[in-house]
Amino acid sequence: MARMIPSFCPSDVPPGEKAVYSAFQGEDNTRDWTILHSLGIANHIRQVQGESDFVFIVPGSGVLVVEVKSHLTVGRDEDGTWTLGNDKPTSRGPFQQANEAMHSILKFLDKQKLHLEDVPVLFAVWFTGVRARALLPKNPEWHDWQVLDITDLNNPRKAILNVLAAGSSHLGSKVRRFSTGLYGPDSAKAKSIASVLRPKFELATVGSDRRRDREANLNSFVEEQYLALDSASDNLSMLFYGPAGSGKTFLAQESARREASLDRQGRLLCYNRLLGTHLAQQMKGVKGLTTGTLHQELLRISGLDRVPENATPSFWNEELPERALENILNTGDKYVGDFLVVDEIQDIAKEPLLDVLDAMVDGGLQNGRLLFYGDFERQAIYTNKMGRGLLFQRSSQMSQFKLVMNCRNVPRIGYQTNMLTKLQPGYSLFRREDDGIDPEIRKYKRAEDQTAFLSSAIRKLKAEGYSLDEIVVLSPLRDMSAAAQTTDPWLRQILSFLGDSLETTPGKVRYSTIHAFKGLEAPVVILTDLDHRHMRPHVEALLYVALTRATDRLIAFADETTLKNLIGKG
């Protein structure tokens, strides 16, 4: 696959640009290509600010600047006015736009002392919604080879190469140096062109400043969260649902605090053990509130001092809930609270756990004070497809509030999640500003290759100013993960398994399973062992959970075949 910059396609670009971007994501024979999408041109030769939709940098063939038009109808009047779809008619047609963008880029490269005398630099227009080659009449203002259309999306690599070959042949008929067919750019010059047009850079930010800004950003409410809290006050029972990172856990905590401040007794419960530990730490000292996992609470109610050895799923899902329910019913109001707040409800909404929840709160699921938070699309990785329907059968008066704003991830992580998990409708609204740093995905052929990748990634992050305790390594595996199995002396010294405690240790990188870390987040997440054989049957669900744990930086190591399947068309 070509090196595509940026490595994601924003959701708000025209459909034609999405189609071209997607077409090249499935191309295997473009590994040495660089494709720049949406290249801003500050010093445009005509406009105050311009843009090139795509710039294709192809070693051994040339550079092609492409203007993309998504319109389903294209017309031009006798006076030269273009009409594209429902857009306002204009005398500045797409070929003129592409030509101006190309010359603006050439002018900029020349100012940067990157001379391209031996490189064919050409332009074309890609009409992605119509069969333009058949519809556009012959015209002296453009060459036939400068027209791409909807049919070229089926074989985009061939289409670009055909344009570059025909354009170079045309140049060869006019300019002697191109007549031999021996022209660039070679690989080195191709990389130079890409780096000059879209350079990588870093702004040196003090680690403490970055952490302070992140924490302030993540811990401030936005309008959507205030509306959610208002809805919680106005309705007796509410289900708040939305994708990972939309602030559900944060809202669950704030809801519980507000309920407890009214001198009510109640519970804040979740499913995942580490998340339960986190919530207990955050809510420590809140009077009248019991916080932890549902199963921890069931153990307490049942009076069990310890979990039976080799406890099976039937113990957790059937025997324990039945014991707890019996104790609740036999002790009057001792275990009945005034309110019930539940995070991760998608993993809890199943029988007989709902029977216990029904008995825990005054008024039950039908008439009790209930505030539930969940993601029924992808985070139900514990096989609970019927949970939402069952929940509304038991609580028919419950109102709903949809959360859509991503409050956790920087946009590039959200867009990468959209692409790799085929998330629909996908993230499009973000509270945090983009930091310009793409997620990194590296493929491996052998699992043992990940040791070198992991060591290199951690050293690089450390050099960038991240402290080791800000980094978490996650895997679908536990004892057989890359972190657990590494023999690298330095990695073995700094890696620390994340057990029951969430406490960070200076100089240590924590590692855990994706399952265990669900509901939590970290500034930097490194994903290892992304192999579909380790992630069945919930490949996309596990990947979705894993990708969305990172607030700032995301690095992933994926099996070659698995990565190909993930980024393939579809």
Side-chain angles (χ1 to χ4, degrees), residues 297-306 323 327 335:
E297 183 65 354
L298 296 185
L299 287 169
R300 184 181 75 86
I301 294 173
S302 300
L304 293 176
D305 296 330
R306 60 184 179 84
R323 286 192 184 192
N327 266 14
Y335 295 111

Side-chain angles (χ1 to χ4, degrees), residues 30 59 70 86 152 158 240 370 373 384 537-538:
T30 56
S70 312
N86 296 321
D152 292 308
K158 181 180 179 182
F240 301 89
L370 310 171
Y373 297 82
N384 185 26
H538 309 295

Side-chain angles (χ1 to χ4, degrees), residues 131-142:
R131 294 178 177 269
R133 277 197 294 271
L135 297 176
L136 289 178
K138 300 289 184 180
N139 193 294
E141 297 179 40
W142 62 82

